[in-house]
Amino acid sequence: MTTSPERRYADRLEEFSHRRPFAVDLVLAAALMGCATLGSELTLPGATPPDQDKTASVLMGVACLALLKHRSHPRAALIVNAACTVAVIALGYLLTPLLLAPVMAALYWLATQTERRTTRVYGLATMLAVTVAAAISDSMEQVSVLLRTIGPFFWLLLPLAAGNMTRLRRAYLTAVQARAEHAERTREEEARLRVTEERMRIARELHDVVAHHLALANAQAGTAAHLALTSPEQTKTILTDLTGTTSSALRELKATLGLLRQNGDPDSAPLEPSPGLARLPELVSACASAGLKVTVTTEGGPQPLSPGVDLTAFRIVQEALTNVTKHAATQAAHVRFEYAGSRLVITVSNDGAVVPVPVEAGRSQGFGVMGMRERARSVGGELCAGHRPEGGFEVTTALPLQPYGEGEATP
């Protein structure tokens, strides 16, 4: 947006007046005193000027000195100027815009610094006093009363209108600045919220990857140690699976951390796709090598899932089976997928009793259930987890088959 040269000069003058207010006021008072002095010397053709030069100069000097206080006392400055102007008119001086310059300046500053009601009351009172003084003055006896009064009325109306426009412009600029500051704060808050959401997403992803693979690796290592002497071949198979488990953990950690390191370079190495239910057989095999037999059943016709829902479904099943491996005294778990209408219902259950765990481990399990619930909600689903009446533990989640809302939320 371009700015006119006049507006730029006005802005610079206003900025300078804020930095050096007294110097500016002193210069303006001197200029207004010169205008008033020049105006007191003007007369109508053939009229005799009044012989009160010193009195008029003193009155105008007092009026201009009062203007030095217009910033802190605009009402008092206007009252003094109005009184001095009326006194000068009463002395018989010709009423001209030059003579009215001090009181016009006082009206302008009053309109810029006070509210509208104060401006209206003091402005109308000043205009009335000056108009009445002009009507009864004998300096313009040859001029009709209408012409005597209409001129001063409009001359004094001009600074009031200009002051109101200046005040409205300042209020507009203040409102624009306030809106800009509010928008900046809103952007900062939105950025902080996005950072927090991203941190939570990364925390959930790392928790699922680390907790699952470490739990499987721990179970596989324990089983291998138990069978090392009695069944060397089975131990070798389990240790091979353990290598696959740790390799899978490293791959997923690399993919997750790669999102943080990616800088948008088109030449950078492509990231691995996010895991989904297509990797469910790999997950079941890893659990089997850790001593947990997982059976999977599907009801209804399988339907394609959006990437976010696919990842959420896989992570929930993964976390639920991890909890079974760590906390349930059982060697079997059941996973059931039910495609019903527009939702996918996933149930992960086991029949074993819960093994008592220390407080820290219990907290970790609680965070796991919390993370599953947050994942389900992030794509518009819901999740419940708890003990079964017939024994064991069950996790049930219902996820939408299509993305949540217009754009799918990132899990």
Side-chain angles (χ1 to χ4, degrees):
M1 186 173 111
T2 59
T3 305
S4 62
E6 294 80 3
R7 176 55 60 192
R8 289 199 298 268
Y9 293 145
D11 292 339
R12 291 176 184 176
L13 180 60
E14 186 173 357
E15 181 183 356
F16 180 77
S17 78
H18 285 306
R19 287 190 283 113
R20 303 292 177 85
F22 183 76
V24 173
D25 293 345
L26 191 61
V27 172
L28 291 176
L32 292 172
M33 183 63 191
C35 292
T37 302
L38 180 60
S40 64
E41 296 178 356
L42 300 178
T43 59
L44 290 175
T48 303
D51 190 16
Q52 300 287 342
D53 291 343
K54 293 184 179 180
T55 305
S57 298
V58 171
L59 290 173
M60 289 294 97
V62 172
C64 292
L65 288 176
L67 290 177
L68 297 177
K69 294 294 183 179
H70 77 272
R71 298 180 186 273
S72 57
H73 302 85
R75 299 172 184 83
L78 176 62
I79 293 174
V80 173
N81 272 267
C84 292
T85 302
V86 170
V88 170
I89 296 172
L91 292 176
Y93 285 89
L94 180 64
L95 188 59
T96 63
L98 291 175
L99 192 65
L100 290 176
V103 72
M104 291 172 66
L107 284 172
Y108 172 80
W109 284 321
L110 178 77
T112 59
Q113 298 179 26
T114 60
E115 64 277 4
R116 183 176 300 178
R117 183 176 181 276
T118 301
T119 302
R120 187 182 299 114
V121 172
Y122 282 82
L124 290 178
T126 302
M127 294 169 65
L128 179 62
V130 174
T131 302
V132 171
I136 63 177
S137 174
D138 56 358
S139 62
M140 295 185 294
E141 293 180 349
Q142 62 272 37
V143 181
S144 65
V145 177
L146 179 61
L147 294 178
R148 291 190 218 173
T149 57
I150 195 172
F153 179 84
F154 282 104
W155 291 336
L156 297 180
L157 188 62
L158 288 176
L160 287 176
N164 280 324
M165 291 178 61
T166 302
R167 179 174 53 82
L168 291 176
R169 177 177 176 272
R170 290 177 181 174
Y172 170 75
L173 294 178
T174 302
V176 169
Q177 183 178 3
R179 286 197 299 269
E181 294 176 353
H182 176 71
E184 185 66 24
R185 289 195 301 269
T186 303
R187 283 195 296 269
E188 293 176 356
E189 292 173 0
E190 183 178 358
R192 286 195 295 268
L193 179 60
R194 289 183 179 274
V195 169
T196 301
E197 291 177 351
E198 185 65 13
R199 289 175 58 189
M200 293 297 297
R201 187 192 69 80
I202 295 172
R204 287 197 303 265
E205 197 70 19
L206 290 176
H207 173 270
D208 292 343
V209 173
V210 175
H212 168 69
H213 289 94
L214 284 183
L216 285 181
N218 180 69
Q220 290 169 340
T223 304
H226 179 70
L227 299 175
L229 299 178
T230 60
S231 182
E233 292 297 328
Q234 188 176 359
T235 302
K236 182 179 179 181
T237 302
I238 294 175
L239 291 177
T240 303
D241 294 337
L242 177 59
T243 303
T245 300
T246 55
S247 298
S248 178
L250 290 175
R251 284 196 306 271
E252 293 199 26
L253 281 175
K254 181 180 178 181
T256 302
L257 296 178
L259 293 174
L260 302 178
R261 297 173 180 172
Q262 194 175 28
N263 56 6
D265 187 1
D267 297 331
S268 60
L271 300 176
E272 293 187 1
S274 299
L277 291 180
R279 291 180 55 180
L280 187 60
E282 179 184 339
L283 177 62
V284 172
S285 176
C287 291
S289 66
L292 179 66
K293 181 181 179 181
V294 180
T295 59
V296 180
T297 59
T298 302
E299 299 181 7
Q303 301 182 33
L305 303 176
S306 63
V309 175
D310 195 18
L311 173 61
T312 299
F314 178 79
R315 289 305 189 196
I316 289 177
V317 173
Q318 183 185 57
E319 177 64 22
L321 293 178
T322 301
N323 288 340
V324 173
T325 303
K326 292 194 299 184
H327 306 300
T330 183
Q331 295 182 350
H334 181 67
V335 180
R336 180 168 61 92
F337 297 93
E338 180 183 357
Y339 292 87
S342 61
R343 301 182 77 81
L344 169 62
V345 180
I346 304 175
T347 304
V348 182
S349 58
N350 67 87
D351 299 329
V354 177
V355 179
V357 293
V359 174
E360 291 77 10
R363 287 177 181 172
S364 177
Q365 183 182 14
F367 284 129
V369 174
M370 184 188 305
M372 289 190 290
R373 185 172 289 112
E374 289 177 354
R375 279 190 177 276
R377 289 176 178 173
S378 69
V379 294
E382 53 188 14
L383 181 141
C384 59
H387 296 280
R388 304 169 61 192
E390 62 273 20
F393 198 84
E394 183 176 83
V395 175
T396 303
T397 180
L399 304 177
L401 295 177
Q402 299 299 326
Y404 177 54
E406 294 182 357
E408 183 181 349
T410 302

